[in-house]
Amino acid sequence: MHYRRKKSWEISESFVTDEVLFEGRRRFLKLGAAMTVSTSAVMELAASEKLPMPNLHYRKDTNPLGLVLNSYDQIISYNNFYEYTTSKKGVRQLARNFKTEPWRISVDGLVENPFEIDFDDLLNRFTLEERIYRFRCVEGWAMVVPWVGFELASLIRYAKPLSTAKYVRFETLYDPEQFPDQRRKFFSTIDYPYVEGLRMDEAMHPLTLMTVGLYGHTLPPQNGAPLRLIVPWKYGFKGIKSIRRITFTDHEPLNTWQKMASNEFGFYANVNPDVDHPRWSQKHERVLGKFIKQKTQMFNGYEKEVKHLYAGMDLRKHF
Amino acid sequence: MRQLILSFILLQPLLFLLYMLFISGVEDPIKFIYTLTGATALTLLYITTTLSLLRRSINLLRYRRTVGLFSFFYALLHLLNFLILDMELDLVSALNETFDKPFIFFGMASFLILLFMAITSHRSLFPRYFKYHKMIYIVILLSTIHFVMAQKALSIPQWGYLGVMALISILKVLQRSGIVKL
């Protein structure tokens, strides 16, 4: 009987990988190679951009509008934070040792469920998502920032406001130990603590973001760590930083800048090219890093989403 | 020679401006140019006043014209920043803004007086026009108001700056009215 003797190095037929799978393996390897390349490209980008390593879990924003992001470096080195200084370049250095731990936020006023919560518990309670928003400062500069946060609406629902609650009032930390301008008492630049507010329907709007991070990383102190407000269709000063207290009231809160100069800064502060600041025009804006200005958009480009909130209101009077 | 050294010193803010804009990079170029050229122009204006204030103690009057012309030069850069970068050469809206926003109007008025003074500072014109150069005080007043109005809120250093400027102005007034001999 003639039969083939298997050489020691031969393997049995059953060990042979099916062709489809073999092709699949090729594809898998290619994919793996691409992965490595792409991660290293991402890494390279991260290194060159000096991006922080993301430390938050969140749902990414697909950026359907194709907004061009400002660099991380631009966003973290040009800030208005008067508690430290009026110098936008100076904040970063002065704020570098800001203590965000422990950090408790109290939610009180006209609510069924007033509560105090530790910042970390707050992070665990709400689902985070990335929101790439235009940001427009009342001074005429602008940027695009990939914020990370959760809708203020979900926090409000959790607090269960009473029917008498018509407004939400926010307060920044008051801590003269940490904030040099708060130590200057009579000579301080503005009144402290910094106060901001929103009408209930504005606060409940899905665009209004309780913000805890940017570029996937927790907020740096100069950008309002650990928790700030972002209302993308309003001027930046509405986006109160380092929030310690959220109060539900039945009357319109007097926000800090309105208190400072009510002829120049109002309660609503909606971005509007047709309503100039009394001392400068709001028709155009300077995007950080660019020599050329661009046109200011009505409600900062969120007109479709928020126009209905102001139906029948005279935006020149309620600026 | 001394005038050359002085000119070299007075060109430093411009070199710094160019370095920051094109080598180091700034976030908000238009605002940066405004701040740097404006602050330099205004400071140099106050320095010219100080030179005449101190002329009995240290006579540096022969440098006053150079300092004044450099002040005009930085004011010109400031204006060009407004017209070219900020208004993008849209002269109609530049004019609208000028008459609509008081602080821009004050700035424009200051510039026009400085322009007149720069032209008439020439040797052939100065003897006839020097008496009008007292308008520097109008420029100083208007451009200081212009500077204050351009801020959202005044910082401590800005208050300090204004304090020094106020002191110079008060001394100048007292000197002119013969109350103080310096």
Side-chain angles (χ1 to χ4, degrees):
Chain A
M1 202 177 156
H2 182 78
Y3 67 97
R4 240 182 106 238
R5 207 169 187 168
K6 241 167 92 174
K7 301 270 189 313
S8 60
W9 45 262
E10 282 186 16
I11 51 170
S12 77
E13 199 64 35
S14 60
F15 276 81
V16 174
T17 309
D18 187 278
E19 197 184 356
V20 174
L21 287 178
F22 183 74
E23 283 305 317
R25 173 179 164 275
R26 299 298 300 260
R27 209 170 41 241
F28 178 75
L29 279 178
K30 273 189 205 151
L31 207 69
M35 272 264 290
T36 349
V37 172
S38 74
T39 8
S40 67
V42 166
M43 282 311 189
E44 203 131 315
L45 188 74
S48 68
E49 275 272 1
K50 292 183 294 215
L51 279 181
M53 289 308 284
N55 62 355
L56 290 168
H57 290 286
Y58 57 94
R59 205 178 64 221
K60 273 202 82 69
D61 184 341
T62 54
N63 196 7
L65 299 174
L67 297 176
V68 182
L69 269 60
N70 276 89
S71 74
Y72 181 71
D73 200 50
Q74 282 169 329
I75 297 167
I76 64 159
S77 53
Y78 202 68
N79 317 90
N80 273 317
F81 206 153
Y82 281 20
E83 278 81 349
Y84 285 108
T85 169
T86 56
S87 153
K88 282 184 273 291
K89 298 291 289 176
V91 177
R92 184 181 180 178
Q93 178 66 8
L94 283 168
R96 70 193 182 285
N97 295 325
F98 185 59
K99 283 212 313 288
T100 54
E101 285 179 3
W103 192 277
R104 292 185 74 69
I105 293 129
S106 64
V107 178
D108 55 38
L110 305 169
V111 285
E112 257 177 65
N113 177 26
F115 62 95
E116 273 211 13
I117 188 164
D118 196 73
F119 177 69
D120 294 334
D121 300 339
L122 186 82
L123 272 193
N124 298 330
R125 183 173 300 282
F126 299 102
T127 339
L128 297 182
E129 48 182 300
E130 185 180 47
R131 294 281 181 94
I132 296 171
Y133 281 158
R134 297 181 197 88
F135 180 95
R136 169 65 153 82
C137 177
V138 73
E139 295 164 0
W141 54 273
M143 54 184 178
V144 172
V145 187
W147 302 110
V148 177
F150 55 91
E151 285 180 17
L152 174 60
S154 48
L155 184 139
I156 293 176
R157 275 191 286 270
Y158 179 74
K160 298 201 182 78
L162 305 172
S163 61
T164 45
K166 300 281 183 259
Y167 294 90
V168 189
R169 179 183 181 276
F170 304 85
E171 213 174 89
T172 295
L173 170 73
Y174 180 79
D175 183 3
E177 300 259 307
Q178 294 212 72
F179 291 141
D181 202 52
Q182 291 183 344
R183 289 199 289 274
R184 297 196 186 107
K185 294 272 184 291
F186 179 76
F187 296 100
S188 66
T189 317
I190 52 175
D191 278 0
Y192 298 112
Y194 192 85
V195 171
E196 258 310 335
L198 292 172
R199 211 170 59 190
M200 189 58 83
D201 55 352
E202 297 175 321
M204 289 297 292
H205 195 284
L207 283 175
T208 306
L209 196 70
M210 271 280 133
T211 307
V212 298
L214 64 92
Y215 267 108
H217 190 280
T218 41
L219 287 171
Q222 62 271 31
N223 295 87
L227 175 75
R228 74 173 294 179
L229 180 68
I230 287 292
V231 194
W233 70 92
K234 292 176 180 283
Y235 291 123
F237 70 84
K238 294 298 288 183
I240 181 170
K241 292 176 171 175
S242 307
I243 299 170
R244 265 321 252 287
R245 190 170 168 214
I246 300 171
T247 312
F248 291 78
T249 71
D250 54 3
H251 58 277
E252 188 182 288
L254 178 59
N255 52 322
T256 300
W257 276 106
Q258 188 180 193
K259 191 172 167 187
M260 290 296 297
S262 58
N263 57 325
E264 299 191 358
F265 307 97
F267 173 75
Y268 286 97
N270 290 318
V271 176
N272 187 337
D274 305 324
V275 178
D276 279 357
H277 182 277
R279 287 182 287 147
W280 57 80
S281 160
Q282 295 290 25
K283 288 182 192 63
H284 294 87
E285 58 200 25
R286 308 182 300 274
V287 178
L288 291 192
K290 290 212 176 87
F291 270 97
I292 303 297
K293 303 214 299 187
Q294 63 182 32
K295 277 196 158 53
T296 301
Q297 299 183 62
M298 186 67 199
F299 294 116
N300 207 19
Y302 302 98
E303 186 173 16
K304 224 172 47 243
E305 292 85 350
V306 302
K307 196 170 65 182
H308 67 274
L309 298 173
Y310 309 103
M313 273 176 66
D314 180 355
L315 296 178
R316 292 192 167 280
K317 220 174 87 204
H318 301 280
F319 58 90
Chain B
M1 185 63 205
R2 282 182 182 170
Q3 294 282 8
L4 269 179
I5 293 169
L6 178 64
S7 301
F8 178 75
I9 294 169
L10 293 177
L11 273 175
Q12 293 314 299
L14 177 65
L15 294 180
F16 175 69
L17 178 79
L18 296 173
Y19 166 80
M20 288 303 287
L21 286 180
F22 299 110
I23 297 166
S24 162
V26 291
E27 274 76 16
D28 195 342
I30 297 176
K31 183 169 192 303
F32 181 76
I33 299 171
Y34 272 142
T35 307
L36 195 124
T37 54
T40 308
L42 189 57
T43 307
L44 294 180
L45 277 188
Y46 275 101
I47 289 176
T48 59
T49 313
T50 312
L51 294 183
S52 69
L53 183 71
L54 300 175
R55 69 168 172 265
R56 280 173 219 275
S57 357
I58 349 163
N59 190 342
L60 297 169
L61 276 191
R62 61 177 171 280
Y63 302 114
R64 190 166 62 169
R65 178 166 171 262
T66 309
V67 177
L69 281 174
F70 268 96
S71 174
F72 165 75
F73 169 69
Y74 285 106
L76 176 68
L77 291 180
H78 194 77
L79 175 78
L80 291 177
N81 186 43
F82 172 67
L83 293 177
I84 299 170
L85 289 177
D86 203 355
M87 287 292 140
E88 290 165 6
L89 285 176
D90 180 351
L91 297 182
V92 175
S93 60
L95 267 179
N96 281 339
E97 286 293 289
T98 303
F99 290 105
D100 186 44
K101 304 277 184 291
F103 99 97
I104 298 182
F105 184 82
F106 292 156
M108 281 293 184
S110 302
F111 179 80
L112 290 176
I113 298 173
L114 278 183
L115 176 69
F116 164 81
M117 286 173 65
I119 294 168
T120 57
S121 72
H122 191 266
R123 278 183 195 80
S124 60
L125 295 171
F126 191 67
R128 213 157 12 120
Y129 287 99
F130 79 94
K131 52 180 178 294
Y132 298 114
H133 279 223
K134 287 199 186 66
M135 285 199 289
I136 182 83
Y137 301 118
I138 300 173
V139 176
I140 281 187
L141 184 69
L142 289 183
S143 47
T144 305
I145 295 172
H146 170 85
F147 150 67
V148 171
M149 283 181 87
Q151 314 305 321
K152 198 162 70 168
L154 284 169
S155 66
I156 304 272
Q158 285 169 331
W159 277 111
Y161 180 88
L162 281 172
V164 174
M165 303 304 142
L167 182 71
I168 294 172
S169 310
I170 291 166
L171 285 172
K172 192 70 209 172
V173 171
L174 293 177
Q175 184 195 45
R176 283 210 156 265
S177 51
I179 297 168
V180 170
K181 293 266 192 292
L182 281 163

